[in-house]
Structure formats: C-alpha cells, structure tokens
Amino acid sequence: MRTILNGSSAFLIALYGALYAMAIVGEANQDFIDAVSMLKSSIALSSVSLVLSLAAAQHLAKRSAK
C-alpha cells in the first residue's frame, strides 16, 4: 500500500507541474489553453488528491492502532 501511495503522489505532483506550466503558457497566449478545461482538470486532480490523502490517513490510522 505504501508503494502505491508514494507512486500516486509522485505522479500527481508531475501532473500538477504540467498543469501549472500550461496555466503560465495560457496567460501569455489566451487562445492556446481553454480555461474551462483547465478548471475541470484542476477540480479532477484535486478530487483525486483528496481521495489519496484520505486513503493515506486511513492507512496510517490502522497502522498506529496495531
């Protein structure tokens, strides 16, 4: 479980970096990036991060209860 959580975290950090880079490029060229799709991507990634953090917290709580 720990390896899955670490791998997922690293993957999401890379996606956040790509999203940030796209946002910076989108500021320079308004026609390059669709703002609505950027918003939907941000919401989706945030939701996945929330689920991942809840899973990590639950895993740690179970582990400390032993």
Side-chain angles (χ1 to χ4, degrees), residues 30-44:
Q30 298 291 330
D31 297 331
F32 186 67
I33 302 293
D34 182 26
V36 175
S37 63
M38 287 287 290
L39 178 63
K40 289 179 182 179
S41 298
S42 298
I43 291 171

Side-chain angles (χ1 to χ4, degrees), residues 1 5 48-62:
M1 180 73 166
L5 292 174
V48 171
S49 289
L50 176 66
V51 170
L52 181 65
S53 65
L54 290 174
Q58 185 178 18
H59 178 70
L60 289 173
K62 284 182 183 178

Side-chain angles (χ1 to χ4, degrees), residues 1-32:
M1 180 73 166
R2 182 178 176 188
T3 304
I4 293 171
L5 292 174
N6 287 340
S8 300
S9 294
F11 180 70
L12 287 173
I13 288 171
L15 284 179
Y16 286 133
L19 190 64
Y20 180 70
M22 288 174 54
I24 293 209
V25 169
E27 285 184 4
N29 187 359
Q30 298 291 330
D31 297 331
F32 186 67

